[in-house]
């Protein structure tokens, strides 16, 4: 169960955020409205939400998930693979140190973005992506080991982040898209395969028994609802334009 979340209000500079989506520029006002809806959903799931102010120097800074991994036993500050995102890391420290007495760090030449990390109990699957490199994965697994946590590397070639294509919905249920449908590392899970035209919904988020699902993906929603959990649908169009999914907008711990 999670009790807290940290989010950061989108900045106006989000229009210059990194993206390969080719879906046009986000509408800033609509993004803020969608962000408000996201915060309300986190609160509905019982989380106490810390809302950080916009950081105009960092266009992608609303995607707070990528700069830290917050586990039940330790907090790890990442070293993002995207150079334009590295400066976001020190800005998360103040919010995180209220809950964690000290931090671990991923250090250059290792790179990690926590959108590449999927938690399954005490185990962490870590995607080897354009943003997270092998040194970063090794450092992370070593750090986790110090806290009796484990990690394993997931090879991938098509997705931006691991969780762009796979989400753990508890009770052994895994949402998968594309190259994650058949990756043998996930063989022990019951996979729910999301079709290409609804791939964005492969990033859905389990929070305390409720599942947040992006709005507009009816087949994915139906498949997720078959699991019997309550769902909350959230419009996310303006973040999708920046390759950002539901999980990236918060740190949940
Ligand atoms: C980026 O490319 O870094 C941002 N535009 C999107 C980050 C999305 N984060 C995530 O999936 N964890």
């Amino acid at each position: 169960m999670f009790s807290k979340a940290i989010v950061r209000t989108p900045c106006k500079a989000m229009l210059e955020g990194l993206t390969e989506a080719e879906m046009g520029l986000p509408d800033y006002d609509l993004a803020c409205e969608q962000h408000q809806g996201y915060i309300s959903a986190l609160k509905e799931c019982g989380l106490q939400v810390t809302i950080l102010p916009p950081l105009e120097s960092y266009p992608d800074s609303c995607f707070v998930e990528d700069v830290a991994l917050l586990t039940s036993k330790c907090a790890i500050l990442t070293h993002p693979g995207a150079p334009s995102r590295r400066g976001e890391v020190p800005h998360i420290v103040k919010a995180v140190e209220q809950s964690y007495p000290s931090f671990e760090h991923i250090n250059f030449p290792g790179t990690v973005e926590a959108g590449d990390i999927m938690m399954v109990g005490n185990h962490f699957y870590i995607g080897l992506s354009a943003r997270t490199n092998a040194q970063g994965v090794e450092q992370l697994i070593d750090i986790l080991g110090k806290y009796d946590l484990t990690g394993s590397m997931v090879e991938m070639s098509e997705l931006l982040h691991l969780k762009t294509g796979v989400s753990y919905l508890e009770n052994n249920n895994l949402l998968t898209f594309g190259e994650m449908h058949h990756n043998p590392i996930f063989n022990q899970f019951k996979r729910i395969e999301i079709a290409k035209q609804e791939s964005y919904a492969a990033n859905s988020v389990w929070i305390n028994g409720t599942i947040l699902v992006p709005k507009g993906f009816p087949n994915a929603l139906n498949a997720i609802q078959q699991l019997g959990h309550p769902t909350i649908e959230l419009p996310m169009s303006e973040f999708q334009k920046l390759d950002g999914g539901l999980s990236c907008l918060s740190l949940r711990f």
Side-chain angles (χ1 to χ4, degrees), residues 105-107 110-112 126-128 132-145 151-153:
H105 298 262
I106 300 296
N107 294 308
T111 66
V112 170
I126 310 157
L128 186 61
T132 295
N133 67 17
Q135 293 105 312
V137 176
E138 280 166 27
Q139 288 182 32
L140 187 54
I141 291 174
D142 283 350
I143 293 167
L144 292 169
S152 51
M153 185 161 81

Side-chain angles (χ1 to χ4, degrees), residues 18 60 63 65-66 85 113 115 131 160-161 242-244 248:
L18 300 172
D60 287 301
F63 302 116
E65 175 181 64
D66 292 318
R85 301 205 55 191
E113 294 187 6
R131 304 288 184 88
L160 170 63
H161 287 123
L242 295 178
D243 294 331
C248 356

